[in-house]
Amino acid sequence: MTTTATELDAALEEARARYVAANPASAAAYEQAGAVFPGGTTRSTVCYPPFPLTIRSGSGARITDVDGHEYVDLLGEFTAGLYGHDHPVVRAAIEQALDAGWGYGAPGLGETRLAEVLCRRFPSLERVRFTNSGTEANLLALATATTFTGRASVLVFAGGYHGSVLSFGPDGRPLAIDVPHRWVVGTYNDVEGTDELITQHADDLAAILVEPMLGAGGCVPARPAFLELLRRRASEVGALLILDEVMTSRMSGGGQQQRLGLRPDLTTLGKYVGGGLSSGAFGGRADVLDLYDGGGVPHSGTFNNNVFSMAAGFAGLTEIFPPPVADELFARGEALRARLNGIGAGLQWTGLGSLMTVHFQRTAIANAADIDPAPKARELFHLEMLHRGIYLARRGLVALSLSIGADECDRFVEAVGEFVRRFDDVVS
Ligand code: PMP
């Protein structure tokens, strides 16, 4: 059978029509939202054409939309939903916090115990500070680096995503709304080119900000040699290496840095670190974080120590996600990705541990420019998975939560197998 654009268009048209017919309540919710939210949403990531599913409830590994369809949730709130939707331990921690009231405008006990766990688990975190999100953690880490070094340039990589105002397209261009740092944009995993860039900007480089795996950029893991280069050259030129582990901190008890034996100067965290509630953190070398000691440089934030995130985060890390569980989850993800890649045909799954993204190409992917965006194939795949009761991101991201077990993995592999049997000629 020959592949033609017409076949893909026809398959998409059919899948879209079926989606629209099956989801009138989501369509109505989207229309209502459009009257108050530009683009119909307050969170661009969760919006996709023709309209996103609006979710009514979630429990364990399942979510239910406003039209009453139940899905296996393989998106796991873009990694923040590590504990599922209603873990009893998280719930108990929130309830206990509720009993003591909230909003003290003062230090509480919760933030210190959560910080202690993080510093114990991530040896590079000698000191830490909480924020409200991963975006904010990276903004603060960058401000820390420019203040500490007295320099202005920041090396980032094409396809890197460090938050809503810290996002770099596959072509390396910052978004129009990005914060105005003096950006130097390199190519991910390009050891030689990056080495040269660092030499060119050596005198003004405040920080190198990098994800150990391009997350939103398509789950592209860093080559160890690339990160080793960044570590070595940052020290040589007096820049701070900031490792954005907002997504990858789940890869072991001490994050991907533990797996790699890498010690960054600063690390940023977020997502599940607050138990699934709003949170973020940045931390690292004591001599750098001492900027904030004694009020020399202020770092404020009304909700930095909000009692619910602090309580849920502590309970999650200590009672649900101790290091051996992190290792098990990593292994479960690796096994699932191997099975998915074993299906073969035109699909390729890249990632690390419990995080993976589908690509519609067989050619190797080392950086963002290597990725075929294949928007129509991604849309068809997404709609077909939804039709089979599997919920994942439109861009093809899967983030396993701890609620996803063998049955859910089997069901997913089966659904992907069906997709490949039916559409491989169409999408490849
Ligand atoms: N860094 C990375 C690597 C991320 O994946 C994200 C979120 N997807 C962020 C930072 C931003 O975190 P938040 O959405 O909590 O602001």
Side-chain angles (χ1 to χ4, degrees), residues 78-79 132-136 138 161-164 211 213 215-216 244-247 268 270-271 279 395:
F78 292 83
T79 78
N132 297 284
S133 67
T135 301
E136 211 186 312
N138 282 314
Y161 183 84
H162 304 284
S164 53
E211 298 162 86
M213 173 186 77
D244 180 343
E245 290 238 57
V246 168
M247 269 203 179
T268 53
K271 304 287 191 190
S279 75
R395 66 174 185 248

Side-chain angles (χ1 to χ4, degrees), residues 211-291:
E211 298 162 86
M213 173 186 77
L214 289 179
C219 286
V220 182
R223 294 182 177 137
F226 175 64
L227 293 176
E228 279 158 24
L229 170 93
L230 300 184
R231 174 62 285 175
R232 179 170 56 78
R233 295 299 327 266
S235 300
E236 279 171 16
V237 304
L240 299 185
L241 178 63
I242 307 173
L243 199 65
D244 180 343
E245 290 238 57
V246 168
M247 269 203 179
T248 55
S249 64
R250 58 162 56 201
M251 297 301 167
S252 81
Q256 182 62 1
Q257 56 191 267
Q258 180 184 311
R259 287 195 169 272
L260 294 164
L262 181 74
R263 193 176 174 103
D265 299 301
L266 297 178
T267 297
T268 53
L269 302 170
K271 304 287 191 190
Y272 71 92
V273 157
L277 281 67
S278 310
S279 75
F282 69 101
R285 273 168 46 188
D287 64 320
V288 177
L289 270 288
D290 276 354
L291 271 182

Side-chain angles (χ1 to χ4, degrees), residues 370-384:
D370 288 339
I371 296 175
D372 178 355
K376 287 183 179 176
R378 282 180 204 281
E379 181 178 355
L380 181 64
F381 183 75
H382 183 235
L383 293 175
E384 288 296 327

Side-chain angles (χ1 to χ4, degrees), residues 74-105:
L74 286 181
L75 178 53
E77 179 57 310
F78 292 83
T79 78
L82 178 64
Y83 306 136
H85 300 287
D86 54 354
H87 199 292
V89 166
V90 174
R91 191 187 181 104
I94 294 170
E95 275 169 359
Q96 213 180 348
L98 275 173
D99 288 343
W102 56 90
Y104 311 144

Side-chain angles (χ1 to χ4, degrees), residues 133-149:
S133 67
T135 301
E136 211 186 312
N138 282 314
L139 287 171
L140 265 302
L142 289 175
T144 303
T146 52
T147 307
F148 181 79
T149 60

